[in-house]
Amino acid sequence: MNQFLTLSLCLVPLGFVVLMLLMSSVRMLFEYERGVVFTLGRYTNTRQPGLTFIIPIIQSMRKVDMRLKTADIPRQEVMTKDNIPMLVNAVVYFKVVSPEAVIIKIEDHVFAVRQYTQAALRDVIGNNEMDLVLTEREKIAEAIKLIVDAETSGWGVDVESIKIQEVELPAEM
C-alpha cells in the first residue's frame, strides 16, 4: 500500500506535466491566418488554417494575418515642383502574400509600408506641378503604388491600391 501511494504521488505530477505539454502543442489557425513555424530558431515551414501541432520548447509559431489591411497616411505638407505647399493625405490598401517573408525579412510590415508610402507620396507630388496634382490624382496614386509595390514585394507584401483622399491648398490661394 505504501509503494502504491509513493508511486501515485510521483506519477500524478508527471502526468500533469505531460498533459500541459500536450495542451501547449495544439494551435488553431483561422482561415485568414497562416502560421510560420521555427524549430530551434530556424524557419521550418508555414502552416495552413486549421488545427496544427508544434513541439513545445523546440518549436515556436508566429501567426500572420492574410487579410487586406488599410494604413492611413497622415496629412503631409508637400512642396510641389512649382513651389506651392500642399497638404495631402492618403490611404494605402495592402495584404500579405508571403507570410514567411513578412516574419523573417521585416520587423513591422504595417509600419514599414506606411512609412515607405509616406516617402513615396512626398517624392511623387514633389516632382509634379500643382495643376497636375489637382487634376490627375488617380495617375499620381498609381505612380506612388508602383514605387511602393516594387519595394514591398520583397517583404512579402502586395500593395492593392493607394487612394489620395484629400488635397488642401494654402488659405491664400
Side-chain angles (χ1 to χ4, degrees):
M1 188 71 152
N2 240 356
Q3 292 173 347
F4 178 72
L5 184 61
T6 306
L7 183 62
S8 64
L9 286 176
C10 291
L11 288 180
V12 168
L14 182 63
F16 182 73
V17 169
V18 168
L19 181 65
M20 294 305 291
L21 283 174
L22 284 174
M23 287 176 53
S24 68
S25 70
V26 178
R27 302 289 167 89
M28 175 67 76
L29 293 172
F30 293 106
E31 185 65 34
Y32 56 87
E33 293 176 323
R34 300 297 180 269
V36 179
V37 178
F38 294 93
T39 304
L40 298 174
R42 296 190 55 93
Y43 169 73
T44 307
N45 60 10
T46 301
R47 303 281 171 89
Q48 298 301 313
L51 197 61
T52 187
F53 299 93
I54 62 167
I55 303 168
I57 302 169
I58 295 174
Q59 289 183 326
S60 64
M61 183 173 72
R62 301 247 334 248
K63 292 181 180 181
V64 178
D65 193 330
M66 303 292 287
R67 295 179 287 189
L68 189 68
K69 293 179 183 63
T70 60
D72 186 39
I73 308 305
R75 188 177 300 208
Q76 303 291 309
E77 185 170 349
V78 181
M79 190 67 72
T80 62
K81 192 174 185 178
D82 48 357
N83 292 327
I84 297 173
M86 301 178 96
L87 293 172
V88 181
N89 67 338
V91 176
V92 59
Y93 300 90
F94 62 96
K95 66 180 178 180
V96 173
V97 292
S98 176
E100 55 278 347
V102 161
I103 295 294
I104 295 170
K105 292 185 179 180
I106 192 150
E107 183 177 356
D108 183 355
H109 68 281
V110 176
F111 179 74
V113 168
R114 185 180 297 131
Q115 293 299 307
Y116 204 83
T117 304
Q118 186 175 330
L121 178 87
R122 287 175 173 250
D123 286 346
V124 170
I125 291 179
N127 288 326
N128 287 297
E129 294 181 354
M130 179 192 72
D131 291 336
L132 189 68
V133 172
L134 294 174
T135 58
E136 302 291 334
R137 286 164 71 164
E138 294 297 321
K139 285 184 182 176
I140 289 176
E142 187 61 30
I144 296 168
K145 178 194 176 297
L146 291 174
I147 292 169
V148 175
D149 203 24
E151 180 66 28
T152 59
S153 63
W155 304 340
V157 174
D158 178 41
V159 176
E160 294 286 318
S161 68
I162 295 176
K163 301 292 180 194
I164 297 176
Q165 287 186 318
E166 193 176 5
V167 178
E168 274 185 46
L169 295 173
E172 24 329 309
M173 298 202 73

